[in-house]
Amino acid sequence: MTKHKNLKPFPKGVSGNPKGRPKLPDLREAMAKVLAHEEGGVTALEATLNALRAKALDGDIRAAEVLLDRAFGKSVQVADITSGGEPIRVVPPIAWTDDTA
């Protein structure tokens, strides 16, 4: 095992990574560029939507769900917070009746 020489901790206030994390490409810009690509008079976005539509019409529930969610937003899911179908009783706050409290 070799000992590494000249290894010292960074001085206080000095970063070990002065340039910071490398910047990631803008995802929206990249997606817009890819989806705007046109081939045969049809954009990639249109081709994707047409493919999803065809799958949905063939009975692919997931394809229909994706199209509907993107077009109209996800549907609200209601959570039943009852006890056996009965509403949960809310306990009223404590009301003090004497002056000692």
Side-chain angles (χ1 to χ4, degrees):
M1 183 169 155
T2 60
K3 292 277 185 179
H4 297 285
K5 296 180 181 181
N6 299 328
L7 291 180
K8 299 174 188 167
F10 292 105
K12 285 190 176 191
V14 176
S15 172
N17 189 7
K19 292 184 180 179
R21 176 182 281 180
K23 299 291 182 208
L24 296 175
D26 183 15
L27 184 59
R28 285 180 185 237
E29 186 178 307
M31 288 292 290
K33 184 177 177 181
V34 167
L35 292 174
H37 178 75
E38 193 170 321
E39 198 170 294
V42 177
T43 65
L45 175 61
E46 291 169 329
T48 302
L49 291 174
N50 288 334
L52 273 172
R53 179 180 178 271
K55 283 186 162 199
L57 291 174
D58 284 342
D60 186 333
I61 299 299
R62 180 69 181 130
E65 182 182 30
V66 168
L67 278 173
L68 292 171
D69 285 352
R70 291 295 176 176
F72 302 107
K74 291 188 180 254
S75 61
V76 176
Q77 295 184 4
V78 179
D80 182 13
I81 53 168
T82 62
S83 176
E86 295 296 318
I88 296 174
R89 188 174 146 247
V90 177
V91 179
I94 297 173
W96 299 102
T97 57
D98 59 2
D99 294 333
T100 59

